[in-house]
């Protein structure tokens, strides 16, 4: 079985919910009065709500470290690892994401026992962070060096806040990524957090890659459209629409979280 299939054995279309960390120390929006303990408390509460709502997995991410960095410092890795270690669920798998430094996500995943990570590890992009160059070879070699061979790397081939250099379609990029970069899963995003891709793009990507490689909706999942998206995708990652007022930076709303799971799993029932 593939890494992804092993992690989500028996689950047809996994629903992965985001546990967004408040801003980490050293970033412009960090709440120094609340401190690192305030981050832990906020994330722990959100994780409990997400598990109670019935999500199949949780993924931790430094969503509010705006403006994002392409190379993070050791303090970010240290605090992220503490938060994940203290807040990780025991009843479902969990993953790690770091915007936008895959080395931090991978190190945290190995240290905390995470099952998967989400990153942009292929391509060259013009972005809000400047010119963004990636290195899948370094990331996968580091996974081997750290003994993290069981960790699935879900590769975002349409990252938010960025556009690719060159003229290839997202379907062509996805197909190439599977072959050249050994993706454990392909993620398709919209232009920014909370905004989804066109269904036509999602469908083209799903048709372009082998059936044993999952293609997941990465942004823009909504309760009122998730059934149609999951008719194409093999699962989804959702964050913003679960929050109070649907705003990315707010706490998770229990009613929104339950409504999303109900809408996503209704066809299966």
């Amino acid at each position: 079985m593939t890494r992804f299939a092993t992690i989500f054995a028996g689950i047809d279309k996994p629903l992965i919910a985001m546990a967004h960390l408040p801003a980490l120390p050293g970033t412009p929006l960090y709440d120094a009065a609340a401190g690192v303990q305030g981050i832990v408390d906020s994330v722990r509460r959100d994780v409990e709500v997400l598990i109670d709502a019935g999500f199949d997995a949780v993924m931790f991410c430094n969503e509010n470290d705006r403006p994002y960095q392409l190379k993070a410092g050791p303090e970010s890795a240290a605090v992220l690892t503490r938060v994940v270690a203290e807040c990780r669920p025991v009843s479902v798998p969990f993953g790690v994401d770091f915007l936008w430094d895959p080395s931090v996500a991978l190190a945290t995943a190995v240290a905390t026992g995470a099952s998967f990570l989400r990153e942009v590890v292929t391509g060259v992009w013009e972005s809000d962070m400047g010119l963004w160059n990636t290195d899948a070879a370094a990331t996968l070699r580091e996974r081997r060096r750290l003994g993290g061979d069981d960790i699935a790397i879900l590769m975002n081939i349409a990252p938010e806040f960025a556009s690719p250099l060159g003229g290839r379609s997202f379907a062509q990029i996805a197909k190439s990524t599977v072959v050249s970069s050994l993706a454990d899963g392909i993620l398709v995003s919209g232009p920014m957090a909370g905004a989804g891709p066109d269904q036509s793009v999602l469908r083209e990507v799903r048709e372009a890659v082998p059936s044993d490689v999952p293609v997941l909706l990465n942004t823009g999942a909504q309760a009122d459209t998730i059934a149609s998206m999951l008719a194409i995708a093999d699962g989804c990652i959702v964050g913003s629409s679960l929050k109070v007022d649907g705003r990315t930076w707010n706490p998770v709303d229990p009613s929104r979280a339950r409504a999303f799971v109900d809408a996503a799993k209704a066809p299966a029932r």
Side-chain angles (χ1 to χ4, degrees), residues 54-91:
F55 282 94
D56 300 308
V58 170
M59 181 157 57
F60 298 91
C61 178
N62 64 322
E63 194 74 26
N64 212 11
D65 280 1
R66 298 171 286 162
Y68 301 123
Q69 289 181 297
L70 299 179
K71 188 64 178 177
E75 73 284 352
S76 295
V79 176
L80 178 62
T81 299
R82 175 185 169 183
V83 174
V84 175
E86 293 198 29
C87 301
R88 59 189 177 187
V90 296
S91 58

Side-chain angles (χ1 to χ4, degrees), residues 6-236:
T6 299
I7 294 165
F8 295 106
I11 301 174
D12 183 33
K13 303 221 174 187
L15 307 178
I16 302 172
M18 296 304 304
H20 290 151
L21 277 67
L24 298 179
T27 63
L29 299 177
Y30 173 58
D31 183 351
V36 174
Q37 187 61 51
I39 299 175
V40 172
D41 294 342
S42 173
V43 174
R44 181 182 288 120
R45 179 262 179 196
D46 278 357
V47 170
E48 291 174 354
V49 172
L50 295 170
I51 298 303
D52 287 344
F55 282 94
D56 300 308
V58 170
M59 181 157 57
F60 298 91
C61 178
N62 64 322
E63 194 74 26
N64 212 11
D65 280 1
R66 298 171 286 162
Y68 301 123
Q69 289 181 297
L70 299 179
K71 188 64 178 177
E75 73 284 352
S76 295
V79 176
L80 178 62
T81 299
R82 175 185 169 183
V83 174
V84 175
E86 293 198 29
C87 301
R88 59 189 177 187
V90 296
S91 58
V92 299
F94 67 93
V96 178
D97 181 25
F98 192 92
L99 307 175
W100 295 95
D101 189 339
S103 65
V104 171
L106 181 57
T108 302
V110 170
T112 59
S115 298
F116 59 94
L117 60 89
R118 172 183 71 174
E119 286 296 338
V120 179
V121 297
T122 62
V124 180
W125 310 81
E126 64 81 21
S127 75
D128 291 357
M129 293 74 68
L131 188 62
W132 184 356
N133 196 6
T134 63
D135 192 343
T139 300
L140 269 66
R141 282 163 173 76
E142 186 69 355
R143 179 175 65 179
R144 171 57 63 88
R145 187 183 74 84
L146 295 178
D149 285 344
D150 292 339
I151 299 172
I153 300 179
L154 308 180
M155 299 186 182
N156 187 353
I157 55 92
E160 309 92 297
F161 311 107
S163 57
L165 299 183
R168 293 186 298 164
S169 68
F170 287 121
Q172 291 171 323
I173 293 171
K175 186 174 183 178
S176 177
T177 297
V178 170
V179 174
S180 69
S181 299
L182 307 177
D184 294 304
I186 295 292
L187 307 180
V188 183
S189 310
M192 62 184 297
D198 290 339
Q199 284 195 17
S200 60
V201 174
L202 187 63
R203 183 175 291 105
E204 289 168 2
V205 171
R206 175 60 280 173
E207 293 173 351
V209 303
S211 60
D212 63 337
V213 178
V215 172
L216 277 66
L217 174 66
N218 189 48
T219 64
Q222 304 281 342
D224 57 352
T225 59
I226 190 58
S228 62
M229 288 293 193
L230 289 180
I232 305 168
D234 302 302
C236 77

